[in-house]
Amino acid sequence: MNRDHTVAVAGPAPLTDVEREDLRALAAVMIPPSTQFGMPGADDAGIFSEILKAATCEGARVRESLARLGGLADGAYARLDPARRIAVAESFRHAAPAAAALIFSLVARCYYRDDRVMHALEMETRAPFPGGFTV
């Protein structure tokens, strides 16, 4: 008798559509694209997919942080006009510093891992160790 003994393993729940949209909008405010320097914004599709992976791994903490952001936006942050997004992002940083730091750190970590960003900064696109980087 052959039995399938598979076990379902529950991982962190993915972000909802609204949470993803809010995170992407905040990432764009944090690090907008620069045509002058040829830099993608943090909302770039490739970079944002890495941000989503990292956000999913952080799980509930990211969801709580995005809920705080949504509360300051009186709803969906992504639906605000661009000027209001900047103002709410500043309020978020001051009203919920730990929540904001979590999101800001997550976005920055993923942004500066992107090969295009590293190349634009004239840094080798490799892991920093074991060779390190000259600062």
Side-chain angles (χ1 to χ4, degrees):
M1 187 187 253
N2 185 9
R3 295 182 190 196
D4 183 15
H5 295 286
T6 59
V7 176
V9 177
L15 298 178
T16 66
D17 289 345
V18 170
E19 289 168 334
R20 278 193 308 276
E21 290 170 9
D22 285 355
L23 181 57
R24 190 171 201 159
L26 182 58
V29 166
M30 289 176 54
I31 306 174
S34 171
T35 53
Q36 178 183 359
F37 296 107
M39 300 285 282
D43 63 335
D44 170 84
I47 294 170
F48 190 68
S49 72
E50 293 301 313
I51 293 170
L52 278 180
K53 288 178 197 172
T56 300
C57 290
E58 291 284 344
R61 292 178 52 215
V62 168
R63 294 183 103 110
E64 291 167 10
S65 296
L66 291 171
R68 293 288 304 268
L69 177 68
L72 292 168
D74 293 325
Y77 176 77
R79 293 194 180 119
L80 299 175
D81 66 77
R84 183 81 178 114
R85 283 183 191 170
I86 293 169
V88 170
E90 280 296 315
S91 295
F92 180 50
R93 191 169 62 88
H94 293 291
L102 171 69
I103 301 294
F104 294 170
S105 171
L106 182 134
V107 169
R109 281 192 323 257
C110 294
Y111 183 78
Y112 288 104
R113 281 195 308 236
D114 186 81
D115 287 351
R116 296 165 297 164
V117 173
M118 296 291 286
H119 180 71
L121 295 172
E122 298 180 358
M123 297 184 77
E124 294 177 57
T125 54
R126 62 172 175 79
F129 296 102
F133 286 109
T134 303
V135 180

